[in-house]
Amino acid sequence: MCELAGERYFEMTDESQIRDANTRPSQTSVFIWLFAIASIWHYTSSSSDIVKYWFHYDPLGTPLIFLSIATAFIAACFPTRTIALLVFSVSQLVAICLRFPFVADHLVMELLLHISIVLSFIYLAMKRRSLRITTTEMFDLFSPVGRWLLIIMYLYGTFHKINPGFMNLDSSCAIPFLQGFPLISGLASHEWLQYVAIYGTLILEIVAMFLLLSTRTKYVGMLLGMTFHFMIGISDYGTLAHFSAFALALHTLFVPSGFGQRICQERYLPAFLKTATNFQVVTIGLVLLQVLLALHMATTREAYLVNTLFAVFAVTLIALVFKHGSIRQGDAPYRLRSAFLPLNLLPIWFFLYCLSPYIGLGTGGVLAMFSGLRTEGGISNHYIIRKPIPLFHYQDTIIYVEDALNDSLNVAVKQKLGIVAFDFQRHFSERENLALPVRLKIGDTIYPIDSPDDFAAFVQEHFKAQSWLERKYMSFRLVDEPHPNQCRH
C-alpha cells in the first residue's frame, strides 16, 4: 500500500523519480482507491438492479454497469496512475450521463466529481503543454469540489427533513433504520429512542457540516459523519453500502496530507500490505467479495453478508481516521477553494440543483432521499418553505393511477402515490406503451381510458411539448401525501 501511494505519470522512466514516488505515500491515492471501491459497491449492493441488469440483458444498462465496474476496478488497482484515474472518470461520466436523469442521488454527486477530475487534468495539460500530470496535482484542484459536495450533502440532508414526514413517528425513515441496527433492534420500539433517532439525525448532520468547515474542528466532523454513515450502511433496513461507502470516501478529502504516510508507518498494519503487489491482491480479493456477495444477495434476497463486508471495511477506515486523521505540524493547508476557478462553479451548481423541489423543478437526485419532503401540486409540507416558489411549473400537475395493467405503475397504484404529469408523459412516450384500459385521476376529475381514442384525447388535453434537454435533465419522485403514513425512499 505504501508503494501504491506514490504518484505516476502516464510513464516514468527515470529511476530516481520512481524511487522517490515509492517513498511518498499520498492522500490522493487513498481517496482514489476508496472512491473506486465505493463506485463498485453501487452496482453490487442492490438486489433488484443485479437481477435486472446482471441476470437479464438490458441493451443500455448492462454494458454501462459492467463498464463502470471494470474501470473502477482498474482505478482501485492502480490509484497512483493518471491514466487509470482518467479511464475511470471518463467511463463513469459516460455511464452516468447515458442513464441520466434516472440515477441515484449520490451518482449526481459522483458525476460532478468526475467532471472536476477530468477538467483538472485538461487544465493542467493545457497549461503545461504536457500529459505528464500526476494524480496529486489533479487532486489539489478537484478535492475542494468534493469537500463542498459533502458539506452541501449534509446541509440539504438536514434541511429537506424539516417536515412532518420525517419528524413524525409514524412515517419517519429514521425509525426503520433504527429498527435495522443488529444490536439495538429490541429497544427500537421505545418512543424516546425513536425521537432520539429523528432529532439526533438532524443534529448530527448539521453539526458535522459546521465542523467540516474549519481546520481546527474537521477531525471531529469527520469522525461524527463517518460514524453516522457507518450506521446507515449496516442497518438491515436496506443495503446502502454504495451510498455510505461514497460518503466515507468524501470524508477522506478532509484528512491531513500526511494521512497516507502515517498509515504506512502504522505498526499494527500487516507488513504484507505495505507492498504494491500485495495490496493489489487484497484489492482484487475485496472486489471479488463484492461481486460474490452481490450474487448471493440477488439469489437469496438476504443482505446481511453485504452489510457485514461493509461494516468491516468502514470500521477499519474509521479506526485509521481516528488514529491518524488529526492535523499535525507540517500538514498541507486545508482548502475549500480550487485554484482552477471554474471548478468552484460545480458546488454552486449543485447547491442550486438541490433547491429544485422548492422552485418547481425536479424532485429526484436532490438529496431528498428518506426525507419525507413533499412539494408537488403547489403543496409544501416543509416547515420553513411552506409554499413552493413557482419559478417553474414541472410539478404543478399530479396524476393518480386508480387502476392499471402496466407493471411499472404497480407501486403508485398499491401505495396510492401520485406521478408528476411530466414524468408520466415522458415514460409513456419514450420507455413503454400504456396498456389499456387504465383509470387516471387529476384533481377531482377521473379519466377512464378504454381505447386509443380515449388516450389520444387525454394526450391532447394534458401532454405538453418536452425538449430533449428537459427529458434528459428532469427527475421526479413519486408523490406522497403531505403527511405520509410510512417511510418511503
Side-chain angles (χ1 to χ4, degrees):
M1 182 176 71
C2 298
E3 292 179 10
L4 282 175
E7 304 307 323
R8 302 289 196 277
Y9 298 102
F10 285 104
E11 295 182 0
M12 293 182 64
T13 56
D14 187 283
E15 291 185 3
S16 64
Q17 285 182 306
I18 297 175
R19 187 165 52 251
D20 179 59
N22 287 343
T23 59
R24 292 188 294 105
S26 167
Q27 178 193 8
T28 306
S29 56
V30 172
F31 169 74
I32 294 171
W33 185 83
L34 291 169
F35 187 19
I37 293 297
S39 296
I40 295 173
W41 243 318
H42 175 75
Y43 301 104
T44 58
S45 60
S46 170
S47 59
S48 59
D49 279 358
I50 293 167
V51 170
K52 183 177 180 180
Y53 297 113
W54 292 33
F55 293 174
H56 301 87
Y57 182 78
D58 180 89
L60 177 64
T62 301
L64 292 178
I65 284 174
F66 286 105
L67 173 69
S68 299
I69 293 174
T71 56
F73 175 67
I74 292 171
C77 287
F78 303 100
T80 63
R81 296 187 182 273
T82 303
I83 187 62
L85 176 59
L86 288 175
V87 167
F88 171 48
S89 287
V90 171
S91 299
Q92 299 293 325
L93 278 176
V94 171
I96 296 172
C97 286
L98 287 180
R99 299 181 69 191
F100 208 82
F102 308 107
V103 297
D105 294 56
H106 68 279
L107 282 187
V108 177
M109 300 171 66
E110 289 189 21
L111 175 70
L112 295 177
L113 191 51
H114 284 301
I115 290 174
S116 69
I117 290 171
V118 173
L119 289 180
S120 68
F121 174 80
I122 293 173
Y123 167 73
L124 290 170
M126 293 180 64
K127 182 180 179 180
R128 298 179 183 176
R129 298 182 181 180
S130 171
L131 297 181
R132 297 174 65 82
I133 309 298
T134 68
T135 54
T136 291
E137 292 169 324
M138 296 164 61
F139 180 84
D140 290 341
L141 295 181
F142 72 73
S143 57
V145 174
R147 294 181 186 118
W148 275 115
L149 291 178
L150 182 62
I151 291 169
I152 293 169
M153 184 187 80
Y154 278 131
L155 172 64
Y156 280 105
T158 305
F159 187 75
H160 288 327
K161 294 185 180 76
I162 306 175
N163 67 77
F166 184 81
M167 302 180 77
N168 189 291
L169 292 181
D170 295 329
S171 56
S172 177
C173 286
I175 307 304
F177 273 103
L178 177 69
Q179 294 169 340
F181 293 149
L183 299 180
I184 61 173
S185 57
L187 301 174
S189 60
H190 293 280
E191 193 171 288
W192 67 268
L193 186 58
Q194 294 177 351
Y195 276 117
V196 168
I198 292 172
Y199 289 97
T201 297
L202 296 174
I203 294 171
L204 190 150
E205 288 191 279
I206 200 66
V207 169
M209 182 199 77
F210 281 115
L211 290 174
L212 290 174
L213 290 170
S214 169
T215 301
R216 290 180 296 179
T217 59
K218 66 184 177 74
Y219 170 68
V220 178
M222 281 189 291
L223 293 177
L224 278 178
M226 296 177 80
T227 302
F228 175 70
H229 286 283
F230 163 75
M231 296 172 68
I232 291 176
I234 66 170
S235 174
D236 287 338
Y237 179 60
T239 50
L240 288 175
H242 52 304
F243 173 67
S244 290
F246 176 60
L248 293 181
L250 288 180
H251 281 85
T252 62
L253 293 171
F254 293 84
V255 299
S257 58
F259 181 73
Q261 177 71 60
R262 294 168 203 169
I263 291 177
C264 290
Q265 294 173 347
E266 171 61 61
R267 61 178 179 172
Y268 295 110
L269 183 71
F272 74 89
L273 284 177
K274 297 184 178 183
T275 65
T277 301
N278 288 344
F279 191 76
Q280 286 171 340
V281 171
V282 172
T283 298
I284 293 170
L286 174 59
V287 172
L288 285 176
L289 267 178
Q290 288 178 294
V291 173
L292 290 174
L293 297 187
L295 294 172
H296 172 269
M297 179 177 61
T299 54
T300 65
R301 300 292 177 174
E302 296 288 342
Y304 66 94
L305 289 178
V306 172
N307 289 350
T308 299
L309 179 62
F310 170 76
V312 174
F313 170 85
V315 166
T316 303
L317 179 59
I318 293 171
L320 290 172
V321 172
F322 175 76
K323 188 169 184 180
H324 302 294
S326 59
I327 194 164
R328 301 177 188 175
Q329 187 175 3
D331 285 321
Y334 165 67
R335 292 189 179 91
L336 285 172
R337 186 175 71 89
S338 175
F340 181 34
L341 295 182
L343 289 186
N344 297 299
L345 297 177
L346 293 175
I348 295 174
W349 177 87
F350 187 59
F351 176 86
L352 296 175
Y353 179 76
C354 291
L355 277 175
S356 295
Y358 307 105
I359 59 176
L361 286 169
T363 57
V366 293
L367 303 179
M369 64 282 192
F370 302 114
S371 70
L373 180 66
R374 153 71 187 267
T375 58
E376 300 88 349
I379 299 172
S380 171
N381 69 351
H382 200 274
Y383 285 136
I384 297 175
I385 302 179
R386 296 182 174 271
K387 186 174 179 60
I389 304 167
L391 298 181
F392 302 90
H393 301 281
Y394 295 97
Q395 302 177 36
D396 288 0
T397 303
I398 304 172
I399 296 176
Y400 289 89
V401 184
E402 298 199 334
D403 189 27
L405 298 177
N406 294 83
D407 291 339
S408 59
L409 297 174
N410 283 342
V411 173
V413 173
K414 291 178 181 178
Q415 300 187 22
K416 298 181 179 180
L417 300 174
I419 304 171
V420 173
F422 181 97
D423 213 13
F424 184 90
Q425 174 182 336
R426 173 174 54 187
H427 184 86
F428 290 107
S429 297
E430 295 185 348
R431 299 175 71 84
E432 68 172 317
N433 294 323
L434 181 64
L436 304 179
V438 63
R439 286 173 60 85
L440 307 177
K441 181 179 180 181
I442 299 178
D444 295 327
T445 304
I446 294 178
Y447 296 86
I449 302 175
D450 300 316
S451 68
D453 289 340
D454 292 338
F455 185 55
F458 181 84
V459 168
Q460 182 67 28
E461 181 178 354
H462 294 287
F463 282 18
K464 300 177 181 178
Q466 295 180 347
S467 68
W468 176 88
L469 182 61
E470 289 174 312
R471 294 195 305 270
K472 191 65 179 174
Y473 181 81
M474 303 302 298
S475 177
F476 299 92
R477 304 163 62 84
L478 292 176
V479 183
D480 210 339
E481 295 296 323
H483 293 264
N485 58 14
Q486 69 180 81
C487 166
R488 293 189 178 90
H489 188 283

